[in-house]
C-alpha cells in the first residue's frame, strides 16, 4: 500500500514537472518571437529608442559617430534598383567605403534600427510625402532604398509625374512620395528638371499650386534652406503671366525666408486636418565647401575626405543659425495652434560628416569644363550625400518619431 502511495505521488510529481516544463518552453518560444530577430534582422522592441539613464526624454540629435562594420551599412548601393545617380558614389568611381560604416550613437539612448516591415505596418493605407529640394529628395531616395532592400515583394519603380514622384508599396496600400518644391512657395525654379536659373523669382505669397498636391498626405516631411541662400532674389506679387505683376529685388535673406514660411504655415494651419496629419520639418543639411572650417586650406573642400570631423560640437561657417531659428519658430508657432508637427534638428550630426558627400563621384548633368577636370575640387558636390550614408540616419530618426506614440522623444 505504501508503495502505491509513493508511486502515485511520483506520477503526480512527474506530471507537474512535465506541465511546468511545457509552460517554460511556451514562454521561451513567445519571448523569442517577440524580442528575437525577425526577417529584417530588427528587434520587435527596437522600434523604440532605449534610454541609458533616467532622463525623461530621449535626445536623438546629440551624440557621436562610431564605426560599426557589423550592422552597417543598412543596405548596399547596388541592391537598390531605385538609386538616383546623384547619390550613387560607388557607381561613379568612389573607391573608399568607410563612409558606409559610421553609426550615429546618441549620448543618452540608442537609436532604433530601421525596420521596414514594422514601418509599413504602421503606414498601412497611408501616404507619406517628402516636400522640398534635392536634399529632401536625397532623404526620400534613402527611404526608398531602406524599404526596397528589406525584401518587400512586388515593388514597382517610382512614377514621376510633373513635380511628383510616387513610390507605391501595394502589399501595404502605402505610398512614399516626393514632391519637388525647393522654395515651398511658387517660383521660376519649380520645374523638377530645368530649374537652374540665375535670377530666382519668388511668388512669396503663392503656395496653392504646390500645396494642393500635399493635402491628402498622412505624413508630410518638409525641408527648405539651401535655395534661400542667394545674395539677392526677386519677389513677385501677381501671377507669372500677368503684365501687372509687381517685382522687387530683395537682398534680405532672413526677411524673405520668414515671409515664405509664413505663407507655408498659414496654409498648413487652415488646410491640414490636425487630427489626421503628422508634420515634420527637417533642419538645415550641412555642406562642406569650405575646408578652413576643419583646419585645411581655403582652396580645399570635401573632395578626398574619408573621415568625419572629430572636434566636439563642430559648427561649419555655411550653417546659418538665424535661418534655423526662423524655421524652428515657425514650427513652434504651428505646434501652439494644435498641429502635430516636429522640428527634426539633424544639422549638428550632419556637420561632422565631411566625408559623406559625393564630391566628384556622381553623374554630372552638365559636362564639367576643362578647368574643372584639371582641378576636381572645382567640380565637387559638397552639398548632397552619398547613399548609403548620412540621410539613412535622418530616416532612422524620422522612423523613431513615427513609431513612437509616447512623449519619450525630445521635442
Amino acid at each position: 500500500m505504501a508503495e502505491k502511495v509513493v508511486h502515485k505521488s511520483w506520477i503526480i510529481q512527474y506530471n507537474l514537472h512535465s506541465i511546468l516544463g511545457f509552460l517554460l518552453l511556451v514562454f521561451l518560444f513567445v519571448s523569442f518571437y517577440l524580442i528575437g530577430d525577425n526577417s529584417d534582422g530588427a528587434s520587435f522592441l527596437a522600434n523604440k529608442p532605449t534610454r541609458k539613464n533616467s532622463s525623461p526624454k530621449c535626445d536623438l540629435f546629440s551624440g557621436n559617430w562610431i564605426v560599426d562594420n557589423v550592422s552597417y551599412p543598412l543596405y548596399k548601393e547596388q541592391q537598390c534598383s531605385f538609386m538616383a545617380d546623384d547619390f550613387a558614389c560607388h557607381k561613379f568611381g568612389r573607391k573608399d567605403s568607410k563612409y558606409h560604416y559610421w553609426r550615429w550613437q546618441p549620448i543618452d539612448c540608442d537609436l532604433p534600427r530601421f525596420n521596414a516591415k514594422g514601418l509599413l505596418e504602421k503606414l498601412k493605407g497611408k501616404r507619406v510625402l517628402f516636400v522640398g529640394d534635392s536634399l529632401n529628395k536625397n532623404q526620400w531616395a534613402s527611404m526608398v532604398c531602406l524599404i526596397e532592400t528589406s525584401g518587400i515583394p512586388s515593388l514597382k519603380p517610382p512614377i514621376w509625374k510633373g513635380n511628383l514622384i510616387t513610390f507605391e508599396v501595394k502589399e501595404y496600400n502605402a505610398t512614399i512620395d516626393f514632391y519637388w518644391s525647393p522654395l515651398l512657395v511658387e517660383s521660376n525654379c519649380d520645374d523638377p528638371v530645368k530649374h537652374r536659373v540665375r535670377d530666382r523669382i519668388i511668388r512669396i505669397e503663392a503656395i496653392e499650386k504646390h500645396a494642393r498636391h500635399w493635402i491628402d498626405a498622412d505624413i508630410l516631411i518638409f525641408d527648405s534652406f539651401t535655395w534661400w541662400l542667394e545674395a539677392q532674389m526677386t519677389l513677385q506679387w501677381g501671377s507669372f503671366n500677368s503684365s501687372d505683376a509687381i517685382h522687387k529685388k530683395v537682398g534680405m535673406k532672413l526677411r524673405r525666408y520668414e515671409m515664405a514660411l509664413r505663407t507655408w504655415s498659414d496654409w498648413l494651419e487652415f488646410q491640414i486636418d490636425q487630427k489626421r496629419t503628422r508634420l515634420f520639418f527637417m533642419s538645415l543639411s550641412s555642406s562642406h565647401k569650405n575646408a578652413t572650417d576643419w583646419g585645411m586650406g581655403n582652396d580645399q573642400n570635401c573632395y578626398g575626405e574619408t573621415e568625419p570631423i572629430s572636434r566636439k560640437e563642430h559648427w561649419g561657417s555655411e550653417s546659418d543659425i538665424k535661418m534655423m531659428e526662423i524655421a524652428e519658430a515657425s514650427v513652434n508657432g504651428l505646434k501652439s495652434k494644435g498641429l502635430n508637427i516636429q522640428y527634426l534638428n539633424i544639422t549638428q550630426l550632419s556637420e561632422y560628416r565631411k566625408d559623406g558627400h559625393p564630391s566628384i563621384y556622381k553623374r554630372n548633368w552638365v559636362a564639367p569644363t576643362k578647368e574643372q577636370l584639371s582641378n576636381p575640387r572645382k567640380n565637387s558636390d559638397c552639398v548632397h550625400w552619398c547613399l548609403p550614408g548620412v540621410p539613412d540616419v535622418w530616416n532612422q530618426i524620422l522612423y523613431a518619431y513615427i513609431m513612437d506614440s509616447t512623449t519619450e522623444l525630445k521635442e
Side-chain angles (χ1 to χ4, degrees), residues 354-396:
K354 61 181 170 59
D355 62 309
H357 300 285
S359 67
I360 63 170
Y361 305 111
K362 60 178 286 186
R363 176 177 176 177
N364 287 300
W365 297 96
V366 178
T369 64
K370 289 182 179 180
E371 182 186 7
Q372 288 173 329
L373 290 172
S374 64
N375 185 356
R377 283 191 175 84
K378 290 192 174 182
N379 196 39
S380 286
D381 179 353
C382 298
V383 174
H384 300 97
W385 303 92
C386 295
L387 294 178
V390 173
D392 301 328
V393 173
W394 302 348
N395 279 324
Q396 280 184 277

Side-chain angles (χ1 to χ4, degrees), residues 287 289-293 314-320 351:
S287 59
K289 302 175 188 176
N290 183 6
T292 59
D293 288 344
H314 162 80
W315 193 264
S317 59
E318 297 164 279
S319 295
D320 194 313
E351 278 285 356

Side-chain angles (χ1 to χ4, degrees), residues 66-104:
I66 61 174
V67 175
D68 181 350
N69 56 12
V70 175
S71 55
Y72 280 70
L74 298 178
Y75 57 90
K76 294 182 179 178
E77 180 184 308
Q78 61 271 24
Q79 290 178 329
C80 183
S81 59
F82 309 141
M83 176 71 72
D85 284 348
D86 306 84
F87 321 126
C89 299
H90 269 188
K91 178 180 177 180
F92 288 91
R94 183 164 181 172
K95 302 300 182 185
D96 67 295
S97 59
K98 191 174 181 180
Y99 68 94
H100 287 163
Y101 301 110
W102 290 99
R103 173 166 62 84
W104 178 247

Side-chain angles (χ1 to χ4, degrees), residues 38-40 114-122 150-153 172:
N38 62 18
S39 58
D40 282 349
F114 189 91
N115 179 349
K117 290 182 179 178
L119 176 65
L120 290 172
E121 283 291 340
K122 187 88 169 180
S150 67
I152 305 294
Y172 292 88

